[in-house]
Amino acid sequence: MDDRITPAVAQKRQEFYGRIGQKALAPLWESLKGLVPRAPATKFLPHAWHYGDVRPLLMESGGLLTAEEAERRVLVFENPGQPGTSRITATMYAGMQLILPGEVAPAHKHTASALRFVLESNGGYTSVAGERTTMRRGDFIITPNDAWHDHGQDQSTGPVIWVDGLDLHIVNFFEAAFSEHLNDKKQMVVKREGDSIARFGSGMMPFNATSPFGKTTPIFNYTYETSRRALMQVAGADAPDPHFGHALRYANPFDGGWPMPLIAAWLTHLPKGFETKPVRSTDGQTWIVVEGEVTAEVEGKTFTLGENDLLAVPSWCWRKFRASKDAVVFAFSDRSAQEKLSIFSEERR
Ligand code: 1HN
């Protein structure tokens, strides 16, 4: 659009826009550039949350209301580029949840899928679709869409703290969200603990198995014990990838794809002193340091991250990582959704 126009022409156009506006019409030529950007221009900022700041506030919230009162007692990670939107990146919701000894977060279900990444737990559990799993530090736990879920803490010792990641903004974008509450606080547990791992998570599968949760992985809990052992064995055999270090992605045994239809997740080991080469991609990523210490550089901003610290890396931001100590880092993003829609892009330098 040529913007060297006379005031008279500008006025004529504005008058026209006013008239067509009354007929629920708008001129594309005024908005075309914003609708079809040359490259992703995120409104979100690279940002870090330090566990040392967040944990005391989460514990303080534990004195303000019970898990049951809150339904879910969570401090939401709000990207400072878009405060008030309950988003850590453009599409992803993330928060940190607290359950105190004896508490229950009551059973409900919804269209959105959720992941839990466990930071602290001594006797914490979550029940999903009739099966219960014990939560342990580093476990990556799946709540498929439309599955009943409740969480609790049976032991008398210590808080249970984890990070929730949900695809609810994608579901809401499509205006496709439903939810329901169960009459009972806890759902009935009808399976023995470990059922899903035995059936689907041991490199085997029942004869004639069909996927119990549609396009979501049937593996309920990718335990840290198993994931870490695999990652370290691979790290001991190969040189780190220049861009990704040693990285293993969580996989759905039915199709080898990402564990959830809209959410991707992976686990990375960076040996002490190793620095990744710059990468950028269109998925909005959330990184959580599980072990060690990492310096991240995102679009020229530097963040030093220790255990349980979180980092938001929005779409198309250059990122690189350096491990100042041997590090293990968990990450999730909307890459799984983007790949299904054929819109995922990545660039490596
Ligand atoms: C939810 O169901 C949980 O089940 C946590 O623990 C956080 C945030 C928004 C919507 C539903 C949970 C949530 C949530």
Side-chain angles (χ1 to χ4, degrees), residues 72 74 93 97 108 110 116 149 151 162 164 166 168:
R72 295 298 185 265
V74 176
Y93 163 96
Q97 184 158 177
H108 69 193
H110 38 66
R116 326 280 167 202
H149 53 286
H151 323 298
W162 69 84
D164 293 306
L166 282 91
L168 62 91

Side-chain angles (χ1 to χ4, degrees), residues 271-295:
K272 181 180 166 155
F274 180 74
E275 183 170 341
T276 61
K277 293 192 162 145
V279 184
R280 64 178 174 178
S281 50
T282 51
D283 54 337
Q285 304 183 337
T286 298
W287 294 77
I288 305 170
V289 175
V290 195
E291 295 181 34
E293 196 178 85
V294 170
T295 305

Side-chain angles (χ1 to χ4, degrees), residues 165-344:
L166 282 91
D167 57 15
L168 62 91
H169 294 300
I170 305 177
V171 176
N172 289 344
F173 172 77
F174 286 108
E175 300 185 326
F178 299 87
S179 69
E180 253 181 272
H181 291 87
L182 198 66
N183 284 330
D184 297 321
K185 273 207 311 187
K186 297 188 197 182
Q187 67 183 292
M188 240 184 346
V189 174
V190 296
K191 295 176 181 171
R192 278 171 56 199
E193 180 147 6
D195 192 89
S196 77
I197 299 263
R199 287 174 203 272
F200 300 106
S202 310
M204 304 178 89
M205 219 180 263
F207 270 44
N208 304 318
T210 56
S211 173
F213 297 106
K215 291 183 167 38
T216 301
T217 180
I219 300 174
F220 181 12
N221 186 346
Y222 294 81
T223 66
Y224 193 55
E225 189 188 358
T226 303
S227 309
R228 187 187 195 281
R229 190 188 317 119
L231 183 64
M232 290 308 172
Q233 166 116 17
V234 171
D238 299 348
D241 179 274
H243 291 91
F244 302 105
H246 300 288
L248 291 179
R249 61 182 187 80
Y250 297 93
N252 179 340
F254 274 99
D255 60 7
W258 298 108
M260 308 173 95
L262 305 181
I263 307 178
W266 60 98
L267 195 67
T268 301
H269 169 62
L270 302 173
K272 181 180 166 155
F274 180 74
E275 183 170 341
T276 61
K277 293 192 162 145
V279 184
R280 64 178 174 178
S281 50
T282 51
D283 54 337
Q285 304 183 337
T286 298
W287 294 77
I288 305 170
V289 175
V290 195
E291 295 181 34
E293 196 178 85
V294 170
T295 305
E297 206 184 298
V298 186
E299 284 293 314
K301 256 179 33 192
T302 302
F303 304 94
T304 301
L305 307 163
E307 283 185 11
N308 298 353
D309 292 350
L310 259 86
L311 176 71
V313 181
S315 171
W316 216 234
C317 291
W318 285 108
R319 62 179 192 268
K320 61 178 188 175
F321 299 98
R322 190 185 166 280
S324 32
K325 295 179 189 160
D326 269 347
V328 179
V329 192
F330 170 83
F332 68 91
S333 85
D334 55 0
R335 177 172 178 164
S336 185
Q338 291 197 13
E339 286 180 353
K340 285 176 183 67
L341 300 172
S342 302
I343 57 174
F344 176 76

Side-chain angles (χ1 to χ4, degrees), residues 107-130:
H108 69 193
K109 65 174 184 174
H110 38 66
T111 311
S113 305
L115 67 84
R116 326 280 167 202
F117 190 77
V118 182
L119 301 181
E120 285 186 47
S121 176
N122 179 14
Y125 68 86
T126 181
S127 298
V128 174

Side-chain angles (χ1 to χ4, degrees), residues 79-99:
N79 190 290
Q82 292 282 287
T85 64
S86 300
R87 291 164 201 261
I88 189 161
T89 56
T91 64
M92 299 303 306
Y93 163 96
M96 194 174 281
Q97 184 158 177
L98 169 68
I99 302 275

